Structure formats: C-alpha cells, structure tokens
Amino acid sequence: MTGKKRILSGMRPTGPLHLGNLLGALDNWVRMQDDYDCFYFIADWHALTSDYENTGHISKYIREMMIDWLSVGLTPAKSTLFVQSLVKEHAELYLLLSMITPVPWLERNPTYKDQIVQLSNKDLSTFGFLGYPVLQAADIIMYRPAGVPVGVDQVPHVEITREIARRFNFLYGNIFPEPEAMLTRTPKILGFDRRKMSKSYNNAIFLSDSPGQIGAKVAQMITDPQRARKSDPGDPDVCNVFSFHKIFTDGETVKDIDEQCRSAGIGCVECKKIMAANLIKALEPVREKRHYYESRPAEVEQIITEGSAKARQVALDTMERVRKAIKI
Ligand code: SF4
C-alpha cells in the first residue's frame, strides 16, 4: 500500500445499514479503495457511549455490518477492515489523550449538546459520552491518516481531533499529522415518509431488504404532497420518488417521467413501480454477495480477525512512539 495517502473512517454498529448509509458514505468508501490506503473500522466501543444499558445485540451487529460492507464492495484485498475493540491500543491512547484534553472543548461539541436534548430518554450524563470525541481522536490519529472521509455533521469531530493532535505534538513532540476532513458530495435521499432516512424513524430501506420488502416500502413513499389525483399535474422536483429515480433509473426514462409527471401523463403508482424495479435490480449484486457471506460466517470471522491484526501492527508502532514521546 506504499505511496498512497492513508485515510480512515468508521461506523458505529447500531443496526442494519440502509440506502442512506450506502449513498452517503459506503459508495464513496468503495471508490476510495483504489486511490488510498484505506482503514475502515467498526466502532463498537462507540456503540456503548449512548447504548451502554443495552449491549446484547452489539456483537451480532458487528458481524452484520461487516457483511453489509463486504456486500457493497469493501474488500480486505484493498482495505484494512477491522473492529475497534480488537485493537486494545485504542483504549491506551484514549486514556493518554484524555489527560491533555480540556473539558470545555468537549462541552462545546455541538453533537454532545444536541444529543443530550434529542435522546432525553437515555441518561447521557456519563464521562464516556462527554469524552467520546477523545476516543474518536484516538481511533483516528492512531493510524496517522492524511484524511478522514466524513459527512458535514462530523466535521466538528475532525476539528477536535486536529486540536487534540496539535496539543499532543506541542507538549511531547511531533508524532501526529493533523488529518483533514474529506467532504464528498452525496445524493440526497429521504426516508419513505420524507424525513431523513434513519433506523430510529422506521423509514429506511435496508441493504438486507428482500425485493418484496423494497416493493412494499416504495409503495408507501410520499410523493408530491400537492398531487391528490392522477389527473393533477405533479412536480417531480419536490418528490422523493423522483430523487430515487435520478439515482437508480436511466437518464432517458428520468427525462420522460419528468415530462409525464408534469403533464399528468403518469400516475404515482406506476411511477413507483418503475422505480422499485430499478432499485431492486441495482441492489441485486449486494443481495447476492450478502447471501454468500451470510452462509460463510467463518470467512467473515477470519476477515475481521485478520483485518484487526493488520490494523494492530500500525497501532503497536504508534503506541511505541507515543510512549517514548511521553517518556513512560
Ligand atoms: S409521478 Fe412520479 S415523480 Fe411525479 S409525483 Fe408521482 S411519484 Fe413523484
């Protein structure tokens, strides 16, 4: 992997992955495999920061997430795919970084403030939840990456990571490069109720959904809210089904649907059927690979073990430098 810039990104194993995850992150991760030395990890300790009371499902979600990753085209032949808790050095670096991170940096974290309000049903007044950006900083700088592919809402986390790396370098010597946030433009799609696609809103199309489940979910999708009858002209620009068409339907047909919708030449039921068929077809290779890996749990386990061992080699090297720099 020499000569390529290293990048790193991770996901919390909080449930099955959906189309929003695919289009918003995974498609980009897959593309980056050819140009970068990619480290992708399943952040299982981070699942504990908000769900520490309910841990029974995490191990199953880790396997499921790895299967989703492999199904969309991430591969150990090109990337280092690993599980955070299998590289215990993350915990050591987290502890050391926590010694130098001022608490006000954590208290002003916008996600922290937002989640305390949003997740009022959970007690998040824990040390672990306040400190999760420090763990995230440890996860990232451990591998000394040049960049971190993230969505816009994650940029403040990369900023804290850079500040922590800078502080470490100032105190102990230059060990850590400051990683850049790498933003990519991703197509916007909403859940079938027009809210952000999310497991917690129960409005997501999962990568593991069967063709029947996809068809049923697409049938429920809210279209142009102003269009009450088939004889009313519609506006594709405000229709979520049309946003999906732009991704999964060929250009010629999209143009045709655009015209037919505006002139009431096509009904929403038919339009959804066309889109559902294209979406099911686009996800066919993902479903095929999913079946392959689902029936080979030992192979998935081996990918996790070997990827984590490979990541650990880098982590061991980093920790040696860190301990030397701190003189302990
Ligand atoms: S015809 Fe298609 S694009 Fe137009 S409003 Fe209905 S679902 Fe949306």
Side-chain angles (χ1 to χ4, degrees):
M1 294 278 178
T2 47
K4 288 181 178 173
K5 276 191 183 172
R6 181 173 295 162
I7 59 149
L8 173 135
S9 205
M11 279 186 189
R12 295 199 314 155
T14 51
L17 296 182
H18 53 68
L19 270 183
N21 303 122
L22 178 67
L23 300 168
L26 287 172
D27 272 349
N28 185 37
W29 287 15
V30 171
R31 276 193 299 271
M32 292 180 113
Q33 291 187 116
D34 292 322
D35 301 322
Y36 295 92
D37 175 17
C38 300
F39 278 61
Y40 297 129
F41 73 101
I42 297 175
D44 54 344
W45 282 337
H46 281 283
L48 297 173
T49 53
S50 56
D51 286 326
Y52 55 85
E53 281 182 288
N54 228 336
T55 57
H57 51 276
I58 295 177
S59 141
K60 176 174 167 267
Y61 284 168
I62 290 173
R63 269 82 205 156
E64 285 289 312
M65 179 166 272
M66 188 55 80
I67 290 176
D68 275 333
W69 284 9
L70 296 165
S71 306
V72 300
L74 292 181
T75 164
K78 294 182 180 175
S79 297
T80 305
L81 308 176
F82 68 102
V83 174
Q84 177 192 33
S85 67
L86 293 180
V87 186
K88 309 289 183 207
E89 285 69 22
H90 286 234
E92 183 183 358
L93 187 55
Y94 167 52
L95 178 133
L96 296 172
L97 296 181
S98 75
M99 301 297 169
I100 64 167
T101 305
V103 173
W105 288 9
L106 304 172
E107 287 170 334
R108 70 170 192 232
N109 166 18
T111 310
Y112 175 73
K113 290 196 278 194
D114 180 60
Q115 297 273 289
I116 290 272
V117 177
Q118 296 288 331
L119 304 177
S120 54
N121 56 331
K122 295 180 182 173
D123 179 6
L124 295 180
S125 54
T126 59
F127 173 64
F129 189 62
L130 177 67
Y132 81 80
V134 184
L135 178 57
Q136 218 167 40
D139 298 333
I140 296 171
I141 63 178
M142 180 71 88
Y143 300 92
R144 306 187 299 277
V148 187
V150 284
V152 122
D153 52 334
Q154 288 283 319
V155 171
H157 291 139
V158 180
E159 198 38 56
I160 290 193
T161 297
R162 289 166 60 86
E163 286 179 76
I164 294 174
R166 210 174 299 146
R167 192 164 165 86
F168 183 99
N169 291 343
F170 172 75
L171 290 167
Y172 306 117
N174 222 353
I175 301 280
F176 296 114
E178 290 176 35
E180 300 284 343
M182 300 166 81
L183 283 171
T184 22
R185 278 164 57 89
T186 52
K188 266 262 163 295
I189 54 157
L190 299 170
F192 50 77
D193 59 356
R194 279 167 66 97
R195 290 188 294 170
K196 183 182 173 205
M197 190 177 281
S198 160
K199 285 181 282 278
S200 34
Y201 293 155
N202 211 10
N203 66 358
I205 296 173
F206 296 106
L207 302 183
S208 50
D209 278 347
S210 66
Q213 286 169 314
I214 294 174
K217 286 179 180 180
V218 171
Q220 285 178 55
M221 279 172 83
I222 298 174
T223 61
D224 170 2
Q226 301 298 321
R227 193 180 190 203
R229 286 171 295 270
K230 188 180 167 183
S231 53
D232 298 335
D235 180 359
D237 293 336
V238 299
C239 175
N240 192 27
V241 176
F242 194 69
S243 306
F244 277 70
H245 270 304
K246 285 195 273 188
I247 302 165
F248 298 106
T249 303
D250 67 275
E252 193 81 352
T253 313
V254 172
K255 204 165 149 257
D256 191 45
I257 287 172
D258 187 297
E259 285 164 14
Q260 296 280 332
C261 173
R262 290 178 200 278
S263 59
I266 185 172
C268 293
V269 173
E270 189 191 344
C271 185
K272 284 177 175 180
K273 279 189 182 151
I274 299 170
M275 194 280 276
N278 292 335
L279 175 55
I280 288 167
K281 196 165 154 227
L283 290 178
E284 185 58 41
V286 178
R287 270 192 305 279
E288 269 174 24
K289 276 197 176 177
R290 193 160 227 295
H291 286 146
Y292 173 92
Y293 286 110
E294 271 173 344
S295 57
R296 290 168 179 80
E299 191 173 330
V300 176
E301 213 51 50
Q302 193 183 350
I303 289 170
I304 290 175
T305 309
E306 289 179 2
S308 303
K310 197 170 151 208
R312 187 153 188 258
Q313 287 309 311
V314 181
L316 287 170
D317 175 49
T318 299
M319 288 318 297
E320 211 164 288
R321 298 182 198 206
V322 165
R323 289 182 212 115
K324 215 168 175 182
I326 300 184
K327 301 186 180 67
I328 54 168

